[in-house]
């Protein structure tokens, strides 16, 4: 019920607001239109006043022309050039004014179009105007040429006769302008009354349809407010209690924040690696200041570009799933620092994912571990070396035996099966239909046997390994396995490695890679496998990536008795026999990466 009442109130106020805005807009438009009309009419009246003024001035100029002509003819004994020039100027001004009144002027805002009555009056005035103008010009010409006064007497008479008619017409024009102006003023007064009446009507409608309903609505709202006052007082009291609780919580949070800032190594970063916030203790450790605030977290964490790229890649790959592990960084003082780092995806602000980085400085622990390893290594070096010698001999004998068996299979069994295939093809029996079916079956069987024998021979000892080295043999291995299994298995020699290694090392590298690929096919059910080989001056690295189902490394390590657990154990023992290291990284449902690092002996 409350929600429906609130919705009705909202709708009512919304409608009243619309009506109120409409009424105000109507009044504003009315005021603007009335003001525009007033200004327009004032301009028209000013223009009409100018026209009447010019008409009266034209009458004065015509009288001045007659006066000047009479003075020059009757009063002056001698006519000067100055007097003639002055009369010429008055005559020119008179003509100009007449042309302006008759044809209009844009600069003076005189209209070109006129009423029918004015047009007739100007049409009647033109012959008289032209007669006076021509006669005056002839009079001035005679004065300049000093002709007989009798001829000028006739011209003066013509001017006097027409001057009265001209003034009479000009008076009629002035009266007509005055009459038309009065009509305009009358129409403007009527329009003003209409606008005034319309404004009063709008105000009246506002009173009945806006102000009165609004007043009633406000009265009801005031009643509701008064009835809600007690509830507000109670809420205020409850709010005070909540505020006190909130202040205590804020104090606790501040204490907790202070503890975090000064005890934990933590920071918040965005998914692209940009820094959002760094704890004080972490900032001091990394020498992070406001001058480096525009850098990415990886750039603040380490000065080594390779480590920066690796960390940016780690953020990109693990920004959704998170990550936990140990990393080493090179700080600005060229010191190596080890961190036990946890990266957790969080959502502090709505729709803005972040990554919370929490670190523990384990540099001292790493130093202690190295010292322990060094001491253990000194105690067990001799034992390990003996074990390596024994393992190497065993592996060497195994490879020799496999080489011998591969040669026997290829040269003996393979040739015999090939002969069997040719013999069976030559069989000719009386029962042609059955013999053909049997022969076809034996053909297929013999081909499968030959293929299996050759595959076994290739797995036991590939000729590429002894003849061309590890790079060529791994390339051949991936090609053959891709053909046999139908999987997409690719090999990349990223750094163009072309060195030959010790035969025992090459054999072990080959077997390790073969084992990793077979595991990816057999256990991980992979469809795409990539083998990458790269090297530096002292290290050869082989990485096998697959898109299989992955596995939990910890659970596999615990099950040493299982086939997969033993396979990983044998893989680690084999890599240790050539002083190498293996790194296995697998995510269930995403795939597995196995990395072999083998030192290159000079």
């Amino acid at each position: 019920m409350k929600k429906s009442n609130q919705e009705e109130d909202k709708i009512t106020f919304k409608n009243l607001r619309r009506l109120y805005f409409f009424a105000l807009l109507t009044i504003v438009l009315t005021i603007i239109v009335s003001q525009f009309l007033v200004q327009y009419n004032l301009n028209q009246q000013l223009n009409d006043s100018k026209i009447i003024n010019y008409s009266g001035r034209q009458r004065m100029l015509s009288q001045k022309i007659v006066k000047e002509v009479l003075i020059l003819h009757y009063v002056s004994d001698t006519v000067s050039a100055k007097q003639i020039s002055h009369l010429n100027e008055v005559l020119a001004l008179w003509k100009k004014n007449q042309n302006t009144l008759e044809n209009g002027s844009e600069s003076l805002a005189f209209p070109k179009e006129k009423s029918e009555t004015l047009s007739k009056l100007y049409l009647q005035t033109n012959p008289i105007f032209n007669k006076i103008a021509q006669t005056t010009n002839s009079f001035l010409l005679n004065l300049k040429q000093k002709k007989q006064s009798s001829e000028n007497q006739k011209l003066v008479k013509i001017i006097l006769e027409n001057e009265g008619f001209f003034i009479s017409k000009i008076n009629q024009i002035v009266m007509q302008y005055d009459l038309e102006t009065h009509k305009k003023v009358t129409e403007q007064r009527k329009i003003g009354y209409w606008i005034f009446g319309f404004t009063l009507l709008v105000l009246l409608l506002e009173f009945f349809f806006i102000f009165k309903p609004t007043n009633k609505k406000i009265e009801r709202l005031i009643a509701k407010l008064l009835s809600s006052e007690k509830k507000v007082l109670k809420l205020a009291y409850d709010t005070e209690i909540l505020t006190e609780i909130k202040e205590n919580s804020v104090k606790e949070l501040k204490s907790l924040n202070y503890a975090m800032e000064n005890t934990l190594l933590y920071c918040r970063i965005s998914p692209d690696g940009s820094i959002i916030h760094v704890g004080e203790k972490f900032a001091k450790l990394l020498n992070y200041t406001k001058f480096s605030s525009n850098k990415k977290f990886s750039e603040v964490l380490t000065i080594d570009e390779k480590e920066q790229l690796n960390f940016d890649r780690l953020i990109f790959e693990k920004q959704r799933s998170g990550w936990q592990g140990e990393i080493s960084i090179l700080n600005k003082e060229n010191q190596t620092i080890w961190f036990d780092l946890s990266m957790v995806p969080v959502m502090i602000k709505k729709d803005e994912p972040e990554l919370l980085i929490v670190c523990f400085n384990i540099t001292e622990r790493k130093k202690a571990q190295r010292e322990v390893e060094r001491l253990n290594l000194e105690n067990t070096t001799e034992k390990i070396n003996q074990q390596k010698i024994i393992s190497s001999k065993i592996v060497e004998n195994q490879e020799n035996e496999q080489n011998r068996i591969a040669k026997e299979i290829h040269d003996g069994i393979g040739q015999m099966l090939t002969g069997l295939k040719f013999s069976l093809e030559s069989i000719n029996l009386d029962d042609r239909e059955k013999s053909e079916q049997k022969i076809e079956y034996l053909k297929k069987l013999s081909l499968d046997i030959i293929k299996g024998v050759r595959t076994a021979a290739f797995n036991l000892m590939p000729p590429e390994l002894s003849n061309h080295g590890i790079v060529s043999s791994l390339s051949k291995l991936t090609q053959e396995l891709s053909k046999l299994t139908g999987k997409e298995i690719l090999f990349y020699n990223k750094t163009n490695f072309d060195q030959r290694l010790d035969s025992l090392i090459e054999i072990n590298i080959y077997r390790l890679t073969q084992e990793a690929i077979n595991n990816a096919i057999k256990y991980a059910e992979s469809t795409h496998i990539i083998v990458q080989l790269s090297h530096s001056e002292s290290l050869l690295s082989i990485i096998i990536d697959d898109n299989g189902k992955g596995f939990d490394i910890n659970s596999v390590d615990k099950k040493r008795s299982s086939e997969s657990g033993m396979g990983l154990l044998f893989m680690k023992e084999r890599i240790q026999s050539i002083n190498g290291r293996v790194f296995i990284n697998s995510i269930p449902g995403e795939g597995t990466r196995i990395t072999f690092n083998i030192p290159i002996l000079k």
Side-chain angles (χ1 to χ4, degrees):
M1 288 295 291
K2 289 183 178 179
K3 289 184 178 179
S4 61
N5 290 334
Q6 290 177 356
E7 290 178 358
E8 289 178 2
D9 292 341
K10 288 181 180 178
I11 294 170
T12 303
F13 274 111
K14 194 177 290 183
N15 293 332
L16 290 173
R17 187 163 55 248
R18 288 174 181 171
L19 291 171
Y20 184 70
F21 284 144
F22 176 75
L24 286 179
L25 181 62
T26 306
I27 293 173
V28 170
L29 290 175
T30 305
I31 294 171
I32 292 172
V33 171
S34 61
Q35 185 65 23
F36 174 77
L37 291 174
V38 168
Q39 294 297 327
Y40 175 76
N41 293 327
L42 286 175
N43 290 330
Q44 290 294 322
Q45 290 179 7
L46 288 174
N47 293 335
D48 293 341
S49 299
K50 287 181 182 178
I51 293 173
I52 294 171
N53 186 31
Y54 264 66
S55 300
R57 190 180 179 188
Q58 191 69 353
R59 181 173 56 188
M60 179 271 296
L61 289 173
S62 65
Q63 292 173 348
K64 190 172 182 180
I65 290 171
V66 173
K67 178 182 175 183
E68 292 290 333
V69 169
L70 291 174
I71 291 172
L72 288 173
H73 183 68
Y74 291 108
V75 178
S76 299
D77 295 333
T78 57
V79 179
S80 64
K82 184 177 181 181
Q83 290 175 319
I84 295 173
S85 175
H86 182 264
L87 181 57
N88 270 325
E89 290 177 0
V90 175
L91 182 62
L93 181 59
W94 184 60
K95 291 179 180 178
K96 181 181 178 182
N97 287 353
Q98 184 69 18
N99 183 59
T100 301
L101 289 170
E102 186 174 355
N103 298 319
S105 172
E106 292 183 359
S107 61
L108 296 174
F110 287 1
K112 187 174 182 180
E113 300 296 331
K114 296 176 179 60
S115 64
E116 186 177 354
T117 304
L118 285 172
S119 298
K120 288 180 180 179
L121 288 173
Y122 276 114
L123 192 63
Q124 294 171 5
T125 307
N126 280 338
I128 302 170
F129 171 78
N130 293 331
K131 188 68 174 177
I132 295 173
Q134 292 173 2
T135 305
T136 306
N137 285 329
S138 300
F139 176 77
L140 288 171
L141 184 61
N142 288 341
L143 289 178
K144 288 179 182 179
Q145 295 176 356
K146 297 181 181 180
K147 290 186 177 181
Q148 294 179 0
S149 60
S150 59
E151 188 174 344
N152 286 341
Q153 179 73 26
K154 293 178 182 179
L155 294 175
V156 170
K157 186 178 180 181
I158 293 171
I159 292 172
L160 289 173
E161 289 175 353
N162 287 281
E163 190 264 344
F165 291 108
F166 180 77
I167 290 175
S168 174
K169 292 297 180 182
I170 288 295
N171 287 335
Q172 292 179 16
I173 290 172
V174 171
M175 293 299 294
Q176 183 62 30
Y177 274 125
D178 184 64
L179 181 62
E180 291 180 1
T181 302
H182 185 267
K183 288 182 180 179
K184 291 180 182 178
V185 172
T186 304
E187 291 176 357
Q188 292 164 11
R189 186 180 292 110
K190 291 179 181 179
I191 293 172
Y193 287 146
W194 276 106
I195 293 173
F196 178 71
F198 180 74
T199 306
L200 290 178
L201 178 62
V202 170
L203 291 174
L204 189 63
L205 291 174
E206 280 188 28
F207 175 77
F208 283 106
F209 293 100
I210 298 176
F211 294 114
K212 193 172 180 180
T214 305
N215 182 50
K216 292 181 180 180
K217 198 69 180 179
I218 291 172
E219 287 178 355
R220 288 196 295 269
L221 287 174
I222 291 172
K224 289 181 181 179
L225 289 172
L226 291 173
S227 65
S228 302
E229 185 177 2
K230 293 181 180 180
K231 295 180 181 179
V232 172
L233 291 173
K234 186 177 182 303
L235 287 173
Y237 176 75
D238 295 339
T239 303
E240 287 181 3
I241 297 175
L242 291 173
T243 302
E244 186 177 353
I245 296 172
K246 180 181 177 183
E247 289 176 354
N248 294 331
S249 300
V250 169
K251 289 178 181 179
E252 293 176 0
L253 287 173
K254 285 183 178 179
S255 301
L256 180 60
N257 183 59
Y258 178 80
M260 289 180 62
E261 291 282 342
N262 293 276
T263 57
L264 285 180
L265 303 177
Y266 83 98
C267 72
R268 289 160 50 209
I269 63 174
S270 59
D272 63 354
S274 302
I275 296 174
I276 298 174
H277 174 72
V278 179
E280 291 185 9
K281 187 176 180 180
F282 205 14
K284 290 178 182 178
L285 181 62
L286 299 177
N287 291 327
Y288 175 78
T289 62
K290 63 180 181 179
F291 299 106
S292 56
S293 58
N294 293 329
K295 293 183 179 179
K296 286 188 174 182
F297 179 67
S298 58
E299 297 174 354
V300 176
L301 187 65
T302 177
I303 61 172
D304 186 86
E305 293 184 359
K306 187 176 181 181
E307 292 177 355
Q308 292 175 4
L309 291 174
N310 289 336
F311 196 76
D312 287 337
R313 179 180 59 79
L314 182 65
I315 292 174
F316 176 75
E317 292 177 353
K318 306 296 182 181
Q319 59 179 271
R320 293 186 179 179
S321 60
W323 184 82
Q324 193 276 331
E326 296 179 356
I327 64 168
S328 64
I329 60 111
L330 189 66
N331 65 8
K332 295 180 180 178
E333 286 78 20
N334 288 323
Q335 297 175 346
T336 300
I337 301 177
W338 281 87
F339 287 124
D340 185 353
L341 186 143
S342 297
M343 183 167 59
V344 183
V346 295
M347 190 79 72
I348 296 176
K349 295 181 180 179
K350 187 178 181 181
D351 299 330
E352 293 184 14
E354 298 179 6
L355 291 173
L356 178 64
I357 307 292
V358 180
C359 299
F360 296 95
N361 192 341
I362 59 172
T363 306
E364 295 301 324
R365 190 180 77 187
K366 282 290 182 182
K367 289 180 181 179
Q369 286 179 355
R370 288 198 193 96
E371 184 65 18
V372 171
E373 289 174 0
R374 186 184 66 79
L375 294 174
N376 291 334
L377 184 64
E378 290 178 355
N379 295 329
T380 58
T381 300
E382 185 177 356
K383 184 178 179 180
I384 292 173
N385 288 335
Q386 291 177 356
Q387 186 178 358
K388 286 182 180 178
I389 292 171
I390 295 171
S391 299
S392 299
K393 289 295 182 181
I394 293 172
V395 172
E396 186 177 358
N397 292 334
Q398 287 177 346
E399 294 298 332
N400 291 333
E401 183 67 16
Q402 289 175 357
N403 191 17
R404 182 185 63 79
I405 294 172
K407 187 175 181 181
E408 289 179 357
I409 291 174
H410 186 270
D411 296 340
I413 300 174
Q415 290 180 2
M416 287 189 297
L417 290 175
T418 303
L420 177 63
K421 174 178 177 294
F422 287 126
S423 298
L424 290 174
E425 287 177 350
S426 62
I427 293 175
N428 186 12
L429 302 175
D430 296 335
D431 191 348
R432 187 177 182 84
E433 183 177 354
K434 289 185 179 180
S435 62
E436 287 179 355
Q437 292 178 356
K438 186 174 182 181
I439 289 171
E440 290 298 325
Y441 171 74
L442 291 174
K443 285 181 183 179
K444 183 177 181 301
L445 180 61
S446 61
L447 288 173
D448 291 339
I449 294 173
I450 293 170
K451 185 177 180 181
V453 170
R454 288 180 177 175
T455 301
F458 177 78
N459 289 331
L460 288 171
M461 175 51 68
E464 290 285 338
L465 186 62
S466 58
N467 295 334
H468 302 289
I470 189 63
V471 175
S472 180
S473 61
L474 290 180
S475 177
K476 184 72 174 178
L477 173 66
T478 54
Q479 292 176 9
E480 291 296 327
L481 289 178
S482 181
K483 291 178 182 177
L484 291 172
T485 62
K487 312 289 185 182
E488 186 175 6
I489 306 174
L490 304 175
F491 172 75
Y492 296 103
N493 184 5
K494 296 178 68 176
T495 56
N496 296 321
F497 180 74
D498 59 356
Q499 300 180 31
R500 290 301 303 267
L501 305 175
D502 183 78
S503 60
L504 185 59
I505 295 176
E506 289 186 340
I507 290 170
N508 278 284
I509 293 173
Y510 181 84
R511 294 303 178 197
L512 286 166
T513 307
Q514 186 180 39
E515 178 71 15
I517 296 174
N518 288 334
N519 288 343
I521 297 172
K522 185 177 180 180
Y523 300 111
E525 301 178 1
S526 306
T527 59
H528 293 76
I529 302 170
I530 298 176
V531 181
Q532 303 178 69
L533 184 144
S534 60
H535 78 289
S536 63
E537 292 183 359
S538 60
L539 192 70
L540 177 68
S541 180
I542 298 174
I543 300 174
I544 300 96
D545 288 312
D546 68 70
N547 67 338
K549 59 185 180 181
F551 60 92
D552 186 352
I553 298 175
N554 296 326
S555 62
V556 172
D557 286 340
K558 293 178 181 177
K559 298 177 182 179
R560 293 294 188 183
S561 59
S562 65
E563 186 176 355
S564 58
M566 294 301 294
L568 293 178
L569 180 61
F570 292 152
M571 191 179 291
K572 290 179 180 178
E573 289 183 352
R574 185 184 283 270
I575 194 69
Q576 288 175 1
S577 68
I578 55 176
N579 295 323
R581 296 184 67 184
V582 60
F583 301 94
I584 302 173
N585 185 16
S586 183
I587 299 176
E590 294 188 15
T592 303
R593 165 172 284 192
I594 299 177
T595 303
F596 300 116
N597 288 336
I598 303 98
I600 300 175
L601 302 177
K602 296 183 180 179

